[in-house]
Amino acid sequence: MTHILLRAPALLLLLAATGLIGIAQADDLELAQKLATNHCAICHTFDKGGPPGQGPNLFGLLGRKAASESNFTYSDGYSKAMSGKVWDEQMLDAWLTDTQTVAPGSAMIYSQADPAKRQKIIAYIKSLH
Ligand code: HEC
């Protein structure tokens, strides 16, 4: 009996901790979505099969060939610089750090100096599938 009584608080603590971790992750993703919405959604859609805006749809970006959305006309500078490349997290991080370094002359001009913000945007794009 003593045994069980001693264990109960530990179990409760464990449950609480798991719950808290769950909430923290949801919050993170919510924040990531907000960042992506604020910084990108004016030009990009993120839903599957979403229409292009000023930029191409970004659903399923990671693992996708660069400049491969058939319903979007990429700039010459971008197409030339990105030819044969496939999107991964590292390339996306470099892209968000400074698009003009990755693809000089690209029609997307963006630079995010805060690595934490870049990681959040990448996490959001990764979460879409
Ligand atoms: C003002 C409009 C605008 C904003 C804001 C913008 N983009 Fe873009 N994006 C573009 C354009 C235009 C292109 C196409 C580039 C080209 O053809 O030179 C592009 C291309 C891209 C590509 C390449 C996709 C492919 O199919 O190869 C990625 C990835 C991307 N943007 C991610 C983002 C993310 C993430 C954000 C937010 C942090 C963002 N963009 C914000 C306009 C924008």
Side-chain angles (χ1 to χ4, degrees):
M1 194 59 196
T2 335
H3 205 70
I4 291 163
L5 280 175
L6 278 175
R7 277 197 172 179
L11 182 66
L12 278 178
L13 265 178
L14 186 71
L15 285 174
T18 327
L20 281 175
I21 289 163
I23 289 165
Q25 279 173 344
D27 269 1
D28 264 10
L29 204 58
E30 206 173 294
L31 202 70
Q33 180 172 12
K34 253 186 213 147
L35 260 179
T37 306
N38 291 345
H39 289 228
C40 326
I42 191 172
C43 298
H44 294 282
T45 55
F46 289 101
D47 52 323
K48 188 175 185 181
Q54 253 193 75
N57 174 265
L58 295 180
F59 180 88
L61 180 81
L62 297 172
R64 184 169 107 186
K65 259 185 79 185
S68 64
E69 284 288 278
S70 56
N71 60 1
F72 183 80
T73 308
Y74 295 89
S75 69
D76 288 346
Y78 182 83
S79 304
K80 216 183 272 170
M82 303 303 273
S83 159
K85 294 191 178 170
V86 174
W87 281 106
D88 60 17
E89 288 182 44
Q90 215 182 343
M91 197 160 99
L92 187 52
D93 191 53
W95 177 247
L96 297 177
T97 304
D98 182 14
T99 57
Q100 299 301 307
T101 302
V102 174
S106 166
M108 176 174 154
I109 297 166
Y110 182 88
S111 87
Q112 175 54 259
D114 181 349
K117 284 191 181 151
R118 294 198 304 269
Q119 280 314 307
K120 283 213 179 350
I121 293 168
I122 293 168
Y124 175 65
I125 289 176
K126 230 174 114 179
S127 78
L128 307 167
H129 43 73

